[in-house]
Amino acid sequence: MYIISFCKSLFKPKNALPAIYFFANAVIVFFLFYILPYRFTSDEQMDRIYLGLIGLGVNLVFILISLTPMGEALWRLRNRIKSQPKQAELQDDWQIAKDVFEEVKANARNLTKSVSNKVKLYYSPTDDINAYALGHRTVIITKGLLGANPEYLKGVFAHELGHIAHGDSDLKLGINVSNSILTVFITILSFFTYMIVMLLACIENEATNFVALVINFLFRIVIIGLFNLWNLVGVLFINWSSRKAEYAADGFANELGYGEQLAMFLNVLDGNSGKSSRFDLMFQTHPDTQDRLAALGYTAA
């Protein structure tokens, strides 16, 4: 199910730019393994191709792991996501949120089986007023949102289950895995570059000191600079797709019958915010609230 959902995500029109970035990342991973100096046989060219394919295999294995329930569990563990709050004073609010979630989930499953019966509500102890979905079995509510009007929560959970139904986090997880592999290569390269620069700097010679400065400059400006630029391109592409996914998840909530509750929540949370410029919007994962309200058929009060 997970890999099928991932493949579907690759070819959705709203994921066109992230999909291009994902395949470009795969090419880069192939090339990085391709240039490794390791040899299997006397045929250097075939050895390089084998290494490149091994790189693609490693990339695929990590992506597959990230898309499994185990991958979701590791993500929750790494980000300190809890199954429920421990504070006694939050238990009543947690139970209300959980009951609302189960009600909305049941209705969502009546609409589509793309919402798994195994999806659960989890808790994040941050003060942000937020909720978000991950993979196929995880919806998270923050401490800041816990205790909100149950009607608002219905709209919020319907929206997040829309992300689950559409598999919106699949491609993002795949891109993050590929970027992590690139980060490992950059880290290793940084270590060796640092060692070379330090060795050259230890030689009390103007020529070697100059070479050390040049190597350090080229690495930091060219290699690190290009890597950061490539990551920025990925962020912009993912944000472009994410804004479209937000509209789709809002539409799912509306179809489920919770559009009014979602609009009420958005209006209270951010209804008076100004419109973002086109440049600012590029760095946002969500569209402007007024545009979301208009798409839902409501206007800010």
Side-chain angles (χ1 to χ4, degrees), residues 89-124:
E89 65 271 19
L90 297 178
Q91 293 306 311
D92 289 344
D93 288 337
W94 171 253
Q95 189 59 52
I96 291 172
K98 202 171 180 183
D99 290 343
V100 171
F101 177 77
E102 291 299 328
E103 174 191 327
V104 176
K105 183 178 79 170
N107 291 332
R109 281 185 52 76
N110 288 333
L111 181 65
T112 174
K113 296 307 178 186
S114 296
V115 175
S116 170
N117 190 45
K118 296 181 179 179
V119 61
K120 293 182 180 179
L121 184 66
Y122 293 88
Y123 169 75
S124 172

Side-chain angles (χ1 to χ4, degrees), residues 14-196:
K14 68 182 178 68
N15 288 334
L17 292 181
I20 292 171
Y21 186 84
F22 171 78
F23 285 117
N25 255 354
V27 172
I28 294 173
V29 170
F30 178 91
F31 175 74
L32 289 174
F33 275 79
Y34 179 88
I35 62 175
L36 290 175
Y38 187 80
R39 293 291 169 264
F40 300 104
T41 67
S42 58
D43 190 336
E44 180 179 344
Q45 187 60 36
M46 286 305 300
D47 286 345
R48 290 186 180 278
I49 293 175
Y50 290 148
L51 285 167
L53 293 175
I54 289 172
L56 291 181
V58 170
N59 193 38
L60 179 60
V61 167
F62 278 101
I63 289 172
L64 291 177
I65 291 174
S66 73
L67 294 172
T68 63
M70 181 178 69
E72 289 185 34
L74 289 174
W75 188 93
R76 293 195 300 267
L77 180 65
R78 187 171 68 248
N79 290 276
R80 299 180 180 180
I81 303 301
K82 311 296 182 182
S83 58
Q84 65 179 56
K86 292 183 178 180
Q87 300 95 318
E89 65 271 19
L90 297 178
Q91 293 306 311
D92 289 344
D93 288 337
W94 171 253
Q95 189 59 52
I96 291 172
K98 202 171 180 183
D99 290 343
V100 171
F101 177 77
E102 291 299 328
E103 174 191 327
V104 176
K105 183 178 79 170
N107 291 332
R109 281 185 52 76
N110 288 333
L111 181 65
T112 174
K113 296 307 178 186
S114 296
V115 175
S116 170
N117 190 45
K118 296 181 179 179
V119 61
K120 293 182 180 179
L121 184 66
Y122 293 88
Y123 169 75
S124 172
T126 62
D127 292 326
D128 298 336
I129 302 175
N130 197 15
Y132 50 100
L134 175 77
H136 296 259
R137 298 185 179 185
T138 302
V139 172
I140 298 156
I141 184 173
T142 63
K143 179 182 177 182
L145 185 56
L146 205 61
N149 187 317
E151 291 300 307
Y152 295 168
L153 292 180
K154 290 178 182 179
V156 171
F157 290 147
H159 172 90
E160 298 308 328
L161 289 171
H163 285 308
I164 295 285
H166 300 151
D168 288 333
S169 67
D170 290 347
L171 189 55
K172 187 184 297 185
L173 284 170
I175 288 174
N176 287 338
V177 168
S178 294
N179 279 347
S180 295
I181 293 175
L182 298 182
T183 301
V184 170
F185 267 92
I186 292 295
T187 302
I188 294 173
L189 187 58
S190 297
F191 173 77
F192 282 108
T193 302
Y194 175 78
M195 294 301 296
I196 292 172

Side-chain angles (χ1 to χ4, degrees), residues 209-259:
N209 287 342
F210 177 75
V211 171
L213 287 173
V214 170
I215 292 175
N216 190 48
F217 174 81
L218 290 176
F219 178 76
R220 293 185 179 279
I221 300 299
V222 179
I223 304 299
I224 299 297
L226 288 175
F227 177 69
N228 289 336
L229 179 61
W230 181 244
N231 278 341
L232 176 61
V233 170
V235 168
L236 295 179
F237 281 7
I238 289 174
N239 286 353
W240 177 83
S241 175
S242 178
R243 291 191 295 272
K244 293 181 178 295
E246 291 302 313
Y247 283 121
D250 287 350
F252 181 88
N254 206 23
E255 186 180 0
L256 202 55
Y258 297 109

